[in-house]
Amino acid sequence: MPAVSVVLLTITTGAGVFSASAQPSTAGSVITITHVRVIDGTGQPPLEDQDVTIAGSRIRSVRPAAADKPAGQIVDSSGKTLLPGLINAHGHLALVDGTGNSAGYYTEPHVIAELRQYERYGVLTMLSLGLNRDLVYQVRAQQRAGTLDGTTVFSADRGIGVPGGAPALPHQPDQLYQPRTPQEAREAVDAAADRHAEFVKVWVDDAHGTLPKMSPDVYRAVIDEAHKRRIQVAAHVYALADAKQLVADGVDVLAHSVRDSQVDAQLLDAMKRRGTYYLPTLTVDASFFDFADHPELLHTPFFQHAVSADTLAYFSSAAYRSKVADDPSTAQHRHDFAQAAMNLKLAYDAGVKVGFGTDSGAMPSRVPGFAEHRELQLMVDAGLTPLQAISCATRTNAALLGISAHTGTIIPGKQADLLLVDGNPAISISDTEKIVAIWHAGKSVTPVTTSR
Ligand SMILES: [Zn+2]
């Protein structure tokens, strides 16, 4: 059978209204991706020269390439690699308007635009880790009903911060709780639970002593109440001492790296014992200087399709590079980044469950879609193998979100959440950017254009 170009498989949807999870238009379709290298997300070495068959929304089979192909469409993928769709367990929606943050930006069109941007960069699931308005649940309901596309969204609701303290981002009153007492904290958790939030978020950070920090009494109440309601708790954290206390108190996810000091055996042992997840979010610290240090990042279509012309011009300007160079906090961010990279390697090698997050969407320099691929590169720079980094972003994050039974690995029966790229990310992690096709629950998604 002759090779069929991937381009022919692109499904045009006039209104952009189609299902990420669904069946009607794809239930009968069968697609076989032939002669492809498979990185299945489990961390095992790639399988060479495989045929992967998608039937409807699911992966039907993964087997060595054979002469007899199933009926249906054939996508000849020699020299290409198939990996699971990426999962971002720490992102935000509709907080950034161009080169600034805007409290009024969290509206349905902006939320949907960002969900679509993630999807065309191959990030097929994301957890919006706080600062959500309630409309996130309308969006989530539309996705579940099969009437809205975009990355599959999970919600950590509004988030629980500190009066006068973190998070210090512009927001509307209906995007954040700032409880003064443990009782108020429990009420905030109950409200989130009543909206069927998947997670609750707390911020535990005094910004180097410049802001009030959430008291352990408050976050203990959050954790206790959330667990009663069967919701997991993720904590923004910076300092080792806070990380230790949060883990001891039962937090489920440390949503950033420890950055004030080296992680120690006490923390790592406790995290392993309790099964606490660790999200390194290296792009958080790198985002303060990465574009100034590496202007070549800005020169690719892969980046340029993720931002507006104004944003591109801003990060490309000499004024931006001077701003970074002159900012007295840049040295601190460089230190934090180096510490985070070191701690990632220590945590991973100790056997802690290392997931994957970016904090993309929280600031203009954390660009949804782009940031996730950059995070993979930074994790490899920090000493993980490409396969380890990919597994953090796929299998481990699926487990973190409680969706391992459905997605996160390329195994028959799982949802067909797949990213087809040129090259071999097991050798060169930046090959994840060479996206040629995406399937989200079996549905073809037009990927970001990687040519100019
Ligand atoms: Zn965040």
mmCIF file of all heavy atoms in Angstrom, residues 240 244 258-265 267 339 342-343 346:
data_model
loop_
_atom_site.group_PDB
_atom_site.id
_atom_site.type_symbol
_atom_site.label_atom_id
_atom_site.label_comp_id
_atom_site.label_asym_id
_atom_site.label_seq_id
_atom_site.Cartn_x
_atom_site.Cartn_y
_atom_site.Cartn_z
ATOM 1 N N LEU A 240 13.091 24.293 51.869
ATOM 2 C CA LEU A 240 13.193 22.906 52.326
ATOM 3 C C LEU A 240 12.371 22.666 53.599
ATOM 4 O O LEU A 240 11.663 21.661 53.706
ATOM 5 C CB LEU A 240 14.664 22.556 52.578
ATOM 6 C CG LEU A 240 14.951 21.150 53.110
ATOM 7 C CD1 LEU A 240 14.527 20.076 52.124
ATOM 8 C CD2 LEU A 240 16.441 21.007 53.465
ATOM 9 N N LYS A 244 9.330 19.949 53.990
ATOM 10 C CA LYS A 244 9.318 18.868 54.980
ATOM 11 C C LYS A 244 8.030 18.875 55.792
ATOM 12 O O LYS A 244 7.425 17.825 56.045
ATOM 13 C CB LYS A 244 10.521 19.010 55.927
ATOM 14 C CG LYS A 244 11.829 18.596 55.305
ATOM 15 C CD LYS A 244 12.961 18.732 56.324
ATOM 16 C CE LYS A 244 14.276 18.294 55.701
ATOM 17 N NZ LYS A 244 15.409 18.475 56.634
ATOM 18 N N VAL A 258 12.268 22.426 45.554
ATOM 19 C CA VAL A 258 12.935 23.056 46.702
ATOM 20 C C VAL A 258 14.125 23.830 46.138
ATOM 21 O O VAL A 258 14.918 23.282 45.375
ATOM 22 C CB VAL A 258 13.406 21.988 47.702
ATOM 23 C CG1 VAL A 258 14.342 22.597 48.743
ATOM 24 C CG2 VAL A 258 12.206 21.320 48.357
ATOM 25 N N ARG A 259 14.230 25.113 46.532
ATOM 26 C CA ARG A 259 15.278 25.928 45.907
ATOM 27 C C ARG A 259 16.163 26.679 46.879
ATOM 28 O O ARG A 259 17.136 27.297 46.481
ATOM 29 C CB ARG A 259 14.629 26.910 44.909
ATOM 30 C CG ARG A 259 14.130 26.216 43.653
ATOM 31 C CD ARG A 259 13.091 27.020 42.928
ATOM 32 N NE ARG A 259 11.797 26.959 43.637
ATOM 33 C CZ ARG A 259 10.753 27.706 43.359
ATOM 34 N NH1 ARG A 259 10.812 28.587 42.386
ATOM 35 N NH2 ARG A 259 9.628 27.572 44.036
ATOM 36 N N ASP A 260 15.825 26.664 48.159
ATOM 37 C CA ASP A 260 16.677 27.417 49.085
ATOM 38 C C ASP A 260 17.887 26.611 49.545
ATOM 39 O O ASP A 260 18.844 27.181 50.057
ATOM 40 C CB ASP A 260 15.878 27.893 50.312
ATOM 41 C CG ASP A 260 15.453 26.744 51.210
ATOM 42 O OD1 ASP A 260 15.183 25.633 50.690
ATOM 43 O OD2 ASP A 260 15.391 26.950 52.434
ATOM 44 N N SER A 261 17.812 25.297 49.377
ATOM 45 C CA SER A 261 18.945 24.479 49.790
ATOM 46 C C SER A 261 18.830 23.099 49.159
ATOM 47 O O SER A 261 17.838 22.791 48.500
ATOM 48 C CB SER A 261 19.001 24.355 51.319
ATOM 49 O OG SER A 261 17.743 23.997 51.820
ATOM 50 N N GLN A 262 19.848 22.298 49.383
ATOM 51 C CA GLN A 262 19.839 20.961 48.799
ATOM 52 C C GLN A 262 18.821 20.091 49.532
ATOM 53 O O GLN A 262 18.721 20.141 50.761
ATOM 54 C CB GLN A 262 21.245 20.365 48.918
ATOM 55 C CG GLN A 262 21.421 19.045 48.198
ATOM 56 C CD GLN A 262 22.890 18.670 48.084
ATOM 57 O OE1 GLN A 262 23.720 19.467 47.650
ATOM 58 N NE2 GLN A 262 23.215 17.461 48.485
ATOM 59 N N VAL A 263 18.075 19.299 48.770
ATOM 60 C CA VAL A 263 17.163 18.354 49.415
ATOM 61 C C VAL A 263 17.981 17.331 50.194
ATOM 62 O O VAL A 263 19.093 16.978 49.793
ATOM 63 C CB VAL A 263 16.247 17.645 48.386
ATOM 64 C CG1 VAL A 263 15.248 18.623 47.795
ATOM 65 C CG2 VAL A 263 17.055 16.962 47.288
ATOM 66 N N ASP A 264 17.426 16.874 51.313
ATOM 67 C CA ASP A 264 18.193 15.941 52.140
ATOM 68 C C ASP A 264 17.447 14.613 52.280
ATOM 69 O O ASP A 264 16.308 14.449 51.816
ATOM 70 C CB ASP A 264 18.512 16.554 53.512
ATOM 71 C CG ASP A 264 17.257 16.917 54.298
ATOM 72 O OD1 ASP A 264 16.141 16.456 53.948
ATOM 73 O OD2 ASP A 264 17.376 17.676 55.283
ATOM 74 N N ALA A 265 18.125 13.673 52.919
ATOM 75 C CA ALA A 265 17.560 12.326 53.032
ATOM 76 C C ALA A 265 16.247 12.331 53.802
ATOM 77 O O ALA A 265 15.348 11.539 53.506
ATOM 78 C CB ALA A 265 18.572 11.400 53.711
ATOM 79 N N LEU A 267 13.826 14.565 53.802
ATOM 80 C CA LEU A 267 12.719 14.893 52.899
ATOM 81 C C LEU A 267 12.492 13.772 51.889
ATOM 82 O O LEU A 267 11.347 13.348 51.666
ATOM 83 C CB LEU A 267 13.001 16.208 52.155
ATOM 84 C CG LEU A 267 11.931 16.566 51.107
ATOM 85 C CD1 LEU A 267 10.607 16.929 51.771
ATOM 86 C CD2 LEU A 267 12.392 17.683 50.185
ATOM 87 N N GLN A 339 19.957 25.292 41.828
ATOM 88 C CA GLN A 339 19.592 24.437 42.966
ATOM 89 C C GLN A 339 18.456 23.486 42.586
ATOM 90 O O GLN A 339 18.461 22.310 42.963
ATOM 91 C CB GLN A 339 19.176 25.306 44.155
ATOM 92 C CG GLN A 339 18.990 24.522 45.442
ATOM 93 C CD GLN A 339 20.307 23.961 45.958
ATOM 94 O OE1 GLN A 339 21.193 24.706 46.366
ATOM 95 N NE2 GLN A 339 20.455 22.642 45.909
ATOM 96 N N MET A 342 19.808 20.641 40.475
ATOM 97 C CA MET A 342 20.539 19.683 41.312
ATOM 98 C C MET A 342 19.561 18.824 42.130
ATOM 99 O O MET A 342 19.703 17.608 42.240
ATOM 100 C CB MET A 342 21.471 20.465 42.242
ATOM 101 C CG MET A 342 22.517 19.626 42.953
ATOM 102 S SD MET A 342 23.549 20.683 44.032
ATOM 103 C CE MET A 342 24.134 21.900 42.838
ATOM 104 N N ASN A 343 18.545 19.478 42.688
ATOM 105 C CA ASN A 343 17.584 18.744 43.513
ATOM 106 C C ASN A 343 16.725 17.778 42.702
ATOM 107 O O ASN A 343 16.317 16.732 43.204
ATOM 108 C CB ASN A 343 16.706 19.729 44.289
ATOM 109 C CG ASN A 343 17.461 20.367 45.449
ATOM 110 O OD1 ASN A 343 18.498 19.855 45.874
ATOM 111 N ND2 ASN A 343 16.939 21.483 45.959
ATOM 112 N N LEU A 346 18.776 14.670 42.367
ATOM 113 C CA LEU A 346 18.832 13.959 43.654
ATOM 114 C C LEU A 346 17.498 13.265 43.947
ATOM 115 O O LEU A 346 17.470 12.110 44.374
ATOM 116 C CB LEU A 346 19.173 14.942 44.782
ATOM 117 C CG LEU A 346 20.606 15.484 44.778
ATOM 118 C CD1 LEU A 346 20.728 16.668 45.747
ATOM 119 C CD2 LEU A 346 21.609 14.383 45.153
#
